[in-house]
Amino acid sequence: MKQITAIVKPFKLEDVREALAEVGVTGLTVTEVKGFGRQKGHTELYRGAEYVVDFLPKMKVEVVVNEGDVERCIEAIVNSARTGKIGDGKIFVTGVERIVRIRTGEENENAV
């Protein structure tokens, strides 16, 4: 089992969710996060005063899938989240050692 974590622009969240559903992902977790990479921050104007926004709003999407589904999920995320501009985000893939469904006690593939 693998966990795919994608950091995407907030307005791309619904596109990513739909693309993952189309490739068979039945559940995901979404978290509002802030951060920066090469995009860095930007300057905004508020009540006539300029200030720097160091951390930009992003959405973190997490899914756990069978190893055979990883490439299909990555392709779906990339195709749906890409704008071609800086700050489109990143995808991280990590191994999952064990999964337990709390309600039933099912484990691993049966628990996803």
Side-chain angles (χ1 to χ4, degrees):
M1 303 294 288
K2 296 287 186 180
Q3 179 173 351
I4 301 171
T5 302
I7 309 296
V8 300
K9 291 181 175 184
F11 68 90
K12 285 295 193 173
L13 176 62
E14 191 59 27
D15 293 341
V16 170
R17 187 196 63 75
E18 289 174 3
L20 287 171
E22 285 177 15
V23 296
V25 173
T26 57
L28 54 84
T29 300
V30 175
T31 311
E32 291 181 28
V33 296
K34 291 184 179 188
F36 69 91
R38 290 185 186 159
Q39 189 178 13
K40 304 274 193 284
H42 63 277
T43 304
E44 289 191 3
L45 195 62
Y46 179 71
R47 294 188 175 183
E50 262 191 14
Y51 67 99
V52 177
V53 177
D54 291 325
F55 296 99
L56 302 171
K58 302 286 182 180
M59 301 303 288
K60 180 165 73 169
V61 179
E62 297 171 295
V63 297
V64 176
V65 297
N66 289 317
E67 218 162 312
D69 297 329
V70 170
E71 289 307 315
R72 202 171 57 219
C73 290
I74 289 174
E75 186 177 317
I77 294 167
V78 168
N79 290 338
S80 61
R82 179 183 285 150
T83 67
K85 296 180 180 162
I86 195 165
D88 274 351
K90 295 248 184 336
I91 298 173
F92 306 94
V93 179
T94 55
V96 175
E97 291 183 28
R98 184 176 176 196
I99 303 168
V100 178
R101 179 172 290 157
I102 294 172
R103 179 177 53 87
T104 62
E106 292 171 294
E107 294 201 19
N108 302 320
E109 286 84 10
N110 295 327
V112 172

